Amino acid sequence: MHTLFVILNYVSVFIMMGCVVLVATHESSKMQKLALMVCTLLCVCCLGFLIKSEATTADTLIVGQKLVYATVTHGMFLMLLFILEYCRFSIPKAVRWICHGINLFISVSVLTLDHHGLFYVKYWAEDRGGYAELMKEYGPIHTVAVAVFAIY
């Protein structure tokens, strides 16, 4: 089952890279640019999942976790913008900048989580049948990130 998951992840990464190249080579509308950014972020997110699935140490698991969380916050917001653009709705620029600022704050917190205890209070790897699993105690910024995910 694990091998199947890894193979599906590799296939999805290559398909998404193909979509990114396809969209990038055409003259782009606003929606195509949003779709390109979403596909690029999803590709990086899948790479994070691949790293996590092949990891054997807590440090490697954290690298994968960083890629996933750093891309998911922006990816979800860009998907929301894509859907709003498709439905011909718009949100004020001030709200967009606030959301981008919150996403940037969460991403920086994730990318520096090994230097502070605000995202994860502590974390460690446990062996689960030959595969490492990241065990963690959540900090306050993780709660903010989950709330932002729910809002999007």
Side-chain angles (χ1 to χ4, degrees):
M1 188 66 164
H2 174 74
T3 306
L4 177 65
F5 175 69
V6 171
I7 290 170
L8 288 175
N9 262 326
Y10 278 117
V11 169
S12 68
V13 167
F14 284 117
I15 289 172
M16 282 187 284
M17 284 193 304
C19 291
V20 167
V21 169
L22 183 68
V23 172
T25 57
H26 289 61
E27 192 170 323
S28 302
S29 67
K30 186 176 181 179
M31 285 186 61
Q32 288 173 327
K33 288 177 185 175
L34 285 170
L36 177 66
M37 288 187 277
V38 168
C39 284
T40 304
L41 288 172
L42 285 175
C43 187
V44 174
C45 185
C46 283
L47 288 174
F49 280 117
L50 273 171
I51 290 170
K52 284 173 53 176
S53 67
E54 296 294 318
T56 56
T57 65
D59 291 335
T60 311
L61 285 166
I62 284 296
V63 169
Q65 194 75 10
K66 285 179 181 182
L67 284 175
V68 170
Y69 271 106
T71 58
V72 165
T73 56
H74 297 288
M76 290 177 71
F77 180 64
L78 291 173
M79 278 193 263
L80 175 67
L81 290 178
F82 180 83
I83 292 168
L84 291 174
E85 181 73 23
Y86 181 76
C87 296
R88 301 197 194 311
F89 291 116
S90 67
I91 57 176
K93 270 193 170 180
V95 174
R96 284 186 191 192
W97 282 107
I98 290 169
C99 290
H100 282 302
I102 291 170
N103 291 340
L104 184 62
F105 172 72
I106 292 171
S107 293
V108 168
S109 298
V110 168
L111 294 173
T112 60
L113 66 83
D114 42 356
H115 300 291
H116 57 77
L118 298 174
F119 198 81
Y120 292 142
V121 175
K122 69 178 186 176
Y123 58 88
W124 64 96
E126 284 188 6
D127 187 25
R128 301 283 176 140
Y131 300 104
E133 184 176 341
L134 187 65
M135 307 305 289
K136 51 215 171 252
E137 291 180 16
Y138 301 110
I141 295 178
H142 185 273
T143 307
V144 171
V146 171
V148 168
F149 296 160
I151 290 170
Y152 291 159

